[in-house]
Structures are given as structure tokens and as C-alpha cells.
Amino acid sequence: MTMVDPIGSKLNKVALAPVAPVKAAARAATVADAKVETGAASSMMATARDLASEPPVDSDRVARIRKAVADGSFPIVPTTIADRLLAFKLNWKPDEPA
């Protein structure tokens, strides 16, 4: 019967270098810096909120496609539609080389 040593049971035989004392860290930011960072963060949050309020839709393109479907001039190719659905599902871009 063979026993397997659990992970970490053997002593590390690597010699450790002595640790030098650490100098005191300089002050990282002032109150003015914090206000600028807070302003930038709130600005980014406001931009994200504005972008999320409306879906990214090209209304002109949607209108052109609707008109083409109504006219019967929109090319509907089942294999292309299937390929695009599979590509979307697999997060693959069929127009780019593999």
C-alpha cells in the first residue's frame, strides 16, 4: 500500500533572503485629488446611465429593412439566416477568416 503525501507536507528547502525594513509610504492622494476622482467616476456613471437608457438602434436602417420586407425586395435566404443565428449563438463572425 502506497501513501500519498498531502499537498504542502514537505518543507520548502529554498533559502529565503532577509527582508529589509520598509520605509513609510508617501501620502497617495490629497482631498482635492479625491474630489477629481469622484467627479470623474460620477461623470462616467452618468454617461453609462445615458447610454443604457436607450437601446443602440439605427432607426433609419430599421425603416429601410421594414420597407424592403413590405415591398418584397428584401433578400431572404434561409441558409444565410441559419448561419447568422449559429454564428451569434457561438459568438463567431462568419465574415472573418478563422
Side-chain angles (χ1 to χ4, degrees):
M1 184 165 125
T2 309
M3 291 202 52
V4 178
D5 290 336
I7 295 174
S9 67
K10 296 182 181 181
L11 295 176
N12 190 355
K13 296 182 180 179
V14 177
L16 299 175
V19 178
V22 178
K23 295 180 183 178
R27 185 170 178 183
T30 62
V31 173
D33 293 337
K35 287 181 182 177
V36 169
E37 289 177 12
T38 303
S42 64
S43 174
M44 286 190 305
M45 288 175 58
T47 302
R49 195 175 323 116
D50 290 343
L51 292 173
S53 66
E54 295 181 16
V57 176
D58 184 356
S59 301
D60 294 334
R61 183 172 184 212
V62 171
R64 288 193 312 266
I65 292 172
R66 283 186 180 176
K67 184 176 182 296
V69 169
D71 294 345
S73 62
F74 188 81
I76 297 177
V77 181
T79 55
T80 302
I81 294 169
D83 287 344
R84 297 297 168 127
L85 287 171
L86 288 171
F88 179 72
K89 174 70 176 170
L90 300 173
N91 197 21
W92 174 67
K93 297 178 181 168
D95 296 331
E96 294 180 5

